[in-house]
């Protein structure tokens, strides 16, 4: 229920690793292109939403959220617009010039679309206000 849209930490198109010495030299480049560290950040984004929006704390509602996000290409703002009147209370995320909503949007977007790393998330303006 908490997996990001890409489903895999590394792309299924990633080549088999070469011999160990070559793999050690190439691994930094693979890390940069594939960004596997962004995989778990998505899960943290969902938990962040659950902390801010109590109605998302059931498995059923998390699954509905995931389905809705997929429908809108993981654009939380578009999902929010489509779910107006659904009972989601965004007030906690809208405080301090929507810093929480901005953080959640950047944690839940597609990995290649600019999902934040854990380090970038901790430097987000949301934590400056909290």
């Amino acid at each position: 229920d908490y997996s990001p849209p890409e489903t895999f930490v590394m792309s299924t198109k990633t080549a088999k690793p070469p011999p160990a010495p070559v793999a050690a030299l190439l691994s930094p480049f693979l890390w940069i292109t594939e960004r596997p560290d962004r995989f778990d950040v998505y899960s943290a984004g969902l938990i962040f939403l659950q902390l801010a929006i109590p109605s998302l704390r059931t498995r059923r509602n998390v699954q509905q959220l995931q389905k809705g996000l997929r429908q809108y290409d993981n654009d939380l703002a578009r999902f929010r617009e489509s779910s107006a009147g659904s009972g989601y209370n965004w007030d906690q995320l809208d405080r301090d010039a929507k810093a929480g909503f901005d953080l959640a949007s950047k944690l839940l977007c597609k990995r290649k679309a600019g999902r934040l790393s854990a380090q970038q998330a901790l430097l987000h303006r949301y934590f400056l206000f909290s």
Side-chain angles (χ1 to χ4, degrees):
D1 294 336
Y2 293 83
S3 291
E6 61 269 12
T7 312
F8 297 103
V9 173
M10 297 295 280
S11 169
T12 56
K13 297 176 184 173
T14 303
K16 291 182 91 175
V22 177
L25 289 172
L26 295 178
S27 64
F29 299 105
L30 186 59
W31 187 272
I32 290 168
T33 59
E34 294 296 325
R35 298 181 179 143
D37 58 320
R38 301 327 197 249
F39 190 85
D40 291 331
V41 170
Y42 183 91
S43 302
L46 281 175
I47 293 168
F48 179 67
L49 273 184
Q50 288 181 305
L51 290 169
I53 304 172
S55 61
L56 289 175
R57 294 181 186 164
T58 67
R59 183 174 187 194
R60 180 175 169 261
N61 288 351
V62 168
Q63 290 171 339
Q64 287 179 332
L65 171 71
Q66 286 277 51
K67 183 179 176 183
L69 284 173
R70 281 192 303 272
Q71 181 180 350
Y72 293 100
D73 203 31
N74 277 68
D75 183 332
L76 187 60
R78 287 177 56 208
F79 170 79
R80 180 179 178 169
E81 290 171 16
S82 75
S83 65
S86 64
Y88 295 133
N89 183 341
W90 302 91
D91 291 349
Q92 289 296 319
L93 297 172
D94 287 345
R95 296 173 64 193
D96 299 318
K98 296 189 177 188
F101 187 79
D102 183 65
L103 176 59
S105 297
K106 291 176 179 172
L107 295 174
L108 296 173
C109 71
K110 288 189 172 180
R111 178 169 48 186
K112 300 280 181 158
R115 188 180 307 149
L116 298 178
S117 68
Q119 182 178 10
Q120 290 169 326
L122 290 172
L123 295 172
H124 188 274
R125 66 186 172 94
Y126 172 79
F127 293 107
L128 298 176
F129 292 114
S130 297

